[in-house]
Amino acid sequence: MNFGRIGNADHADGIRIIHRALDEGINVIDTADVYSQGESEEVVGKALLDGRRDEVFLATKFHGQMGDNPHHRGNSRRWIIREVENSLRRLQTDHIDLYQVHRPDPTVDFDETLGALSDLVHQGKIRYIGTSTFSAAQIVEGQWTAERRGRERVVAEQPPYSILARGIERDVLPTAQRYGLGILPWSPLAGGWLSGSYLAGGSRRVERFPARYDAALPANAPKIEAVTKLAALADEAGLSLIHLAIGFVLAHPAVTSAIIGPRTLEHLESQLGAAKVVLSADVLDRIDEIVPPGVNLNPADAGYEPPSITDAALRRR
């Protein structure tokens, strides 16, 4: 997400970061059309030239607003069929390994979405279908729709998950396990809160998402308290806070791969090696004491609120 003008605008630097990750054995790259309005996909595409594409399981997403045209967004067949071609062009590839629905779209029947994605699987333009930030009920609906309508089924979900945002432990993770879905959590460092330097230096995301990242807001006070305790626990365990945080996410048996989002080479270097971290039962129990299982310390970190909650008109019509 951090490649392009909203993060690191230096394409050459982004390519260096990706190549360093590949050289260290990282073999999954996840991006989205909406990240810097296609620029992130362009950086990834450049980085995978010269034979690198076959080394990588490449994932991207659709749904978000692209440009000013109000029709250039959403989960409709019309937009999916058009936007996949744009992503293929920007990524400079003939197929996408995992094409993900970036967010739910209550205005579109999921059968329409799944039908369009199934057609793309049959055409060889995508290999697998995934979702991101779907509820447990929506995951079940997707599996039911695929079975009853003869569609290709969703095989992966990408939810927000970190020590500070554990809400998906209640239903999303058990549901994914029941249906055999892969889980690729985003933001295991809680958007920088668990980077080890957030409280000292602040976050680049404060202006864009103050509800989640402004340390001055009362809703984020529990995070400050938890981060302080977690930093002490990491020191006691002989780990960096970053490795503790990523190790925690990877420790859950439902998790397939944790998505990191380095903006600089230094960020990447600090996160490399986390996949080898194995947290003891004692450390995991201590984490549970600091942030109880199934709890989001700030509800805004759930990553998605349906229009039925955010739009007052839908509650009063």
Side-chain angles (χ1 to χ4, degrees):
M1 186 176 71
N2 282 315
F3 299 138
R5 60 181 177 271
I6 67 168
N8 185 342
D10 185 339
H11 286 204
D13 195 37
I15 292 169
R16 281 192 293 270
I17 293 169
I18 293 172
H19 285 175
R20 172 67 174 145
L22 297 179
D23 291 342
E24 287 297 313
I26 290 175
N27 56 16
V28 177
I29 297 181
D30 171 78
T31 183
D33 57 357
V34 76
Y35 297 161
S36 290
Q37 292 289 289
E39 197 177 353
S40 173
E41 288 185 327
E42 292 173 359
V43 173
V44 171
K46 293 175 185 176
L48 296 182
L49 295 176
D50 301 323
R52 293 273 197 169
R53 171 66 182 92
D54 290 339
E55 301 176 29
V56 170
F57 186 89
L58 181 59
T60 191
K61 301 183 283 292
F62 69 89
H63 168 84
Q65 181 69 49
M66 297 294 289
D68 298 326
N69 190 315
H71 295 299
H72 291 182
R73 67 174 309 277
N75 301 346
S76 69
R77 167 178 285 273
R78 177 184 183 276
W79 178 239
I80 292 168
I81 298 302
R82 174 169 179 171
E83 186 60 0
V84 72
E85 300 294 343
N86 293 330
S87 287
L88 289 169
R89 171 178 47 79
R90 289 187 291 256
L91 291 165
Q92 301 189 57
T93 185
D94 63 355
H95 73 280
I96 295 162
D97 293 305
L98 180 65
Y99 201 37
Q100 301 158 106
V101 190
H102 206 160
R103 290 291 188 277
D105 184 348
T107 68
V108 178
D109 190 320
F110 195 65
D111 180 52
E112 176 180 340
T113 301
L114 205 53
L117 294 171
S118 296
D119 288 346
L120 294 178
V121 171
H122 302 156
Q123 295 166 18
K125 293 181 179 180
I126 68 175
R127 298 292 190 257
Y128 301 101
I129 300 167
T131 55
S132 178
T133 321
F134 272 45
S135 68
Q138 289 164 332
I139 291 172
V140 173
E141 179 187 359
Q143 298 297 306
W144 182 90
T145 300
E147 179 180 341
R148 297 297 294 270
R149 299 287 293 170
R151 309 300 193 188
E152 297 293 327
R153 76 182 192 96
V154 173
V155 301
E157 161 62 15
Q158 186 182 137
Y161 187 39
S162 71
I163 297 176
L164 305 184
R166 303 182 60 175
I168 63 168
E169 292 174 342
R170 289 185 174 275
D171 48 14
V172 169
L173 294 185
T175 300
Q177 287 177 294
R178 189 157 58 249
Y179 287 99
L181 271 65
I183 292 288
L184 295 85
W186 55 267
S187 203
L189 298 181
W193 282 93
L194 298 172
S195 67
S197 59
Y198 183 91
L199 297 181
S203 168
R204 293 167 58 90
R205 301 182 180 183
V206 171
E207 292 183 4
R208 296 176 60 218
F209 307 108
R212 296 171 59 194
Y213 299 113
D214 189 345
L217 295 180
N220 287 318
K223 292 186 191 179
I224 298 174
E225 180 181 355
V227 168
T228 302
K229 294 178 180 178
L230 290 167
L233 175 59
D235 286 340
E236 185 179 326
L239 298 169
S240 69
L241 182 57
I242 287 173
H243 280 199
L244 178 78
I246 298 175
F248 165 82
V249 168
L250 292 174
H252 197 289
V255 170
T256 308
S257 178
I259 296 173
I260 59 174
R263 181 172 50 84
T264 67
L265 190 58
E266 291 72 23
H267 289 168
L268 175 65
E269 296 290 351
S270 71
Q271 296 168 49
L272 290 174
K276 299 177 182 178
V277 171
V278 178
L279 301 182
S280 68
D282 177 65
V283 169
L284 291 171
D285 288 343
R286 295 275 298 281
I287 291 173
D288 288 348
E289 293 172 1
I290 297 170
V291 181
V295 170
N296 289 342
L297 291 184
N298 182 344
D301 288 328
Y304 174 76
E305 286 282 9
S308 58
I309 298 298
T310 60
D311 187 346
L314 295 179
R315 301 192 302 272
R316 297 177 173 85
R317 58 191 172 192

